[in-house]
Amino acid sequence: MTTHPITVEVNGVAYERSVSPRLLLSDFLRHELHLTGTHVGCEHGVCGACTVQFNGEGVRSCLLFAVQADGSTIKTVEGLANGDSLHPLQEAFSAAHALQCGFCTPGFLMAIDSMLDQLSTMSEAEIREALSGNICRCTGYQGIVEAVQATVASLQQEGR
Amino acid sequence: MKPPDFDYVAPTSVDGAIKALGSDSEAKVLAGGQSLIPLLAFRLAGPSLLVDLARVDGLDHITDQGDRLVIGAMTRQRRVERDPLVANRCPLLAESLRHVGHPQIRSQGTIGGSVAHADPAAELPGVVLALGGRVHVTGPAGDRTIESEELFQGFLSTSIADGEILTAVEVPASGPRTGWSVVEVARRPGDYALCGALCQLQLDDAGAVMGVHLGLIGVGDRPMRAHAVEAAVLAGANPADAAELAPDGLSPSSDVHASSDYRLHLATVTSRRALTQALERAA
């Protein structure tokens, strides 16, 4: 099958590649761009581990072909920290023990970061529902919910 | 879990898309891909060509036509969910979207894709059927509209013909004193419902129900309309009594998630709750 040229901007860097139509965006990020922070769990849109931000919205990168992403702007977990200083959400995950094995963490971070505005007005139950697209098998979610609440509170204190 | 090989084309016009679709008997339309790509990953579908509608002009819009809302097929679910016009003119649609998958699914999933996929447990086909909406399709022979009661033909199948493309979904706009409700029973938030009830009703000046729409999802091979319940409500029955008629004409299958009997029980429960909440909101 013929390959298609695409141009994408990932974490502020422009890439030009030629891709086969069947190549998933998750595999493109990991295998072509070597951005292995995006994790692949179920590979059929159930677990949320592969969540990235696509033109500013959280999406499952296993439910998108790289060829569909031509011309788009993508942010992966590698784009979250500012150099060596962690994003407030990453700091909160660390402080609240919101991860154990860490496999689901990049997906949670990218999903939460894409929804911070909405999460800031949500009750705990609503936060849990908003995060229901991401599965964690270690933590029981309590630490993750606490990390979201702490991040939202600290950003509000900073007046963001 | 890797999809099979296929060719890909991303036309920029409806005409171009129809030509591409007609060029290959094994071609499939790609809208948001949130149902199609898992089917490809499981190799349950093996199209030789995907025609991506994402770059087609004129399919991403929410248009107020007075008594109707027309929504372009490629309008992302997340946009419709957040749109103030939809919240105001078709609150049942706005509320139902919060039950569709997860935010990460809705940011890519489309209105037209979900309706054309016609999953019997999906909310959007249920809303279109319940409200008596219709869809606009375009094919090699031109444009036509399909009324919702003609659209859903069975499990994942519609009366949209091979070579035709769904271009817009049309739903009636709600009037004054309208109440609505979406009630689902599902194992986890975002899962397909074991059973769901989608209700919109309108009261007259005296407070009596002058119109009621009740759709049920997850209880058949397609979305269903609970005509017997609607008739009872219009005749003055209270929600509890009317909802007892919800299982009429239904014969849901049993599967690993729920038995047929349990789904029938849920049809009554969700109908009662949806009618009750819709009445409260209309009052």
Side-chain angles (χ1 to χ4, degrees), chain A residues 1-2 4 21-22 27 43-44 51 57-60 62-65 67-68 70 111 115 118 132-134, chain B residues 1-8 30 34 37-38 40 42-43 52 55 78 82 102-105 107-108 189:
Chain A
M1 300 283 165
T2 49
H4 295 251
R22 70 192 283 251
D27 286 342
E43 219 168 32
H44 64 280
T51 302
E57 299 260 22
V59 299
R60 299 191 185 314
C62 78
L63 291 189
L64 204 62
F65 294 114
V67 68
Q68 292 175 275
D70 185 26
M115 295 189 283
Q118 295 110 281
S132 64
N134 293 74
Chain B
M1 307 300 285
K2 307 298 181 192
D5 236 350
F6 55 84
D7 269 327
Y8 170 90
L30 172 64
Q34 303 300 286
I37 296 177
L40 295 173
F42 282 115
R43 308 266 172 139
D52 186 357
R55 295 170 205 276
R78 200 92 168 109
R82 293 166 172 167
H102 306 284
Q104 297 104 300
I105 298 286
S107 62
Q108 193 60 19

Side-chain angles (χ1 to χ4, degrees), chain B residues 118 146 149-160 221-222:
Chain B
I146 306 173
E149 57 264 37
E150 304 293 324
L151 179 63
F152 302 108
Q153 298 286 311
F155 185 70
L156 304 186
S157 70
T158 67
S159 51
I160 301 169
D221 66 354
R222 66 195 81 178

Side-chain angles (χ1 to χ4, degrees), chain B residues 121-146:
Chain B
E123 290 81 4
L124 296 175
V127 167
V128 173
L129 179 78
L131 293 180
R134 57 188 174 192
V135 298
H136 297 241
V137 302
T138 304
D143 301 341
R144 65 184 181 117
T145 57
I146 306 173

Side-chain angles (χ1 to χ4, degrees), chain B residues 31 35 77 100 110-119 122-125 152:
Chain B
S35 298
Q77 292 159 4
V100 178
T110 64
I111 295 291
S114 176
V115 171
H117 187 57
D119 192 297
E123 290 81 4
L124 296 175
F152 302 108

Side-chain angles (χ1 to χ4, degrees), chain B residues 2 16 25 34 70 92 105 121 140 170 173 180 194 207 223 230 233 257:
Chain B
K2 307 298 181 192
S25 62
Q34 303 300 286
V70 180
L92 179 65
I105 298 286
E170 188 178 314
W180 69 96
L194 299 177
E230 293 176 355
V233 171
H257 303 293

Side-chain angles (χ1 to χ4, degrees), chain B residues 43-277:
Chain B
R43 308 266 172 139
L44 295 171
S48 50
L49 171 69
L50 285 188
V51 181
D52 186 357
L53 299 187
R55 295 170 205 276
V56 172
D57 255 355
L59 296 186
D60 180 7
H61 64 89
I62 300 170
T63 308
D64 187 352
Q65 292 200 341
D67 61 342
R68 317 209 128 232
L69 276 186
V70 180
I71 301 173
M74 287 299 291
T75 314
R76 305 285 169 183
Q77 292 159 4
R78 200 92 168 109
R79 176 180 166 202
V80 180
E81 176 189 355
R82 293 166 172 167
D83 189 89
L85 183 69
V86 175
N88 191 29
R89 305 301 308 281
C90 194
L92 179 65
L93 176 59
E95 177 152 331
S96 72
L97 279 161
R98 289 194 274 279
H99 294 265
V100 178
H102 306 284
Q104 297 104 300
I105 298 286
R106 301 198 290 272
S107 62
Q108 193 60 19
T110 64
I111 295 291
S114 176
V115 171
H117 187 57
D119 192 297
E123 290 81 4
L124 296 175
V127 167
V128 173
L129 179 78
L131 293 180
R134 57 188 174 192
V135 298
H136 297 241
V137 302
T138 304
D143 301 341
R144 65 184 181 117
T145 57
I146 306 173
E147 299 295 331
S148 59
E149 57 264 37
E150 304 293 324
L151 179 63
F152 302 108
Q153 298 286 311
F155 185 70
L156 304 186
S157 70
T158 67
S159 51
I160 301 169
D162 285 347
E164 284 184 326
I165 290 171
L166 190 160
T167 56
V169 173
E170 188 178 314
V171 287
S174 61
R177 302 201 70 182
T178 291
W180 69 96
S181 178
V182 178
V183 176
E184 287 190 358
V185 174
R187 296 267 173 187
R188 291 164 292 263
D191 280 13
Y192 279 120
L194 299 177
C195 175
L198 310 152
C199 179
Q200 182 172 301
L201 51 76
Q202 189 175 9
L203 303 183
D204 64 19
D205 291 340
V209 177
M210 60 182 279
V212 56
H213 302 263
L214 182 65
L216 294 171
I217 57 176
V219 288
D221 66 354
R222 66 195 81 178
M224 310 294 275
R225 184 132 176 215
H227 290 293
V229 180
E230 293 176 355
V233 171
L234 282 176
N238 67 40
D241 290 343
E244 292 296 328
L245 302 171
D248 269 20
L250 301 180
S251 52
S253 52
S254 294
D255 60 26
V256 65
H257 303 293
S259 67
S260 178
D261 283 349
Y262 184 56
R263 283 196 157 91
L264 291 174
H265 168 70
L266 292 180
T268 299
V269 171
T270 56
S271 294
R272 184 183 71 235
R273 291 178 184 164
L275 287 166
T276 304
Q277 186 178 40

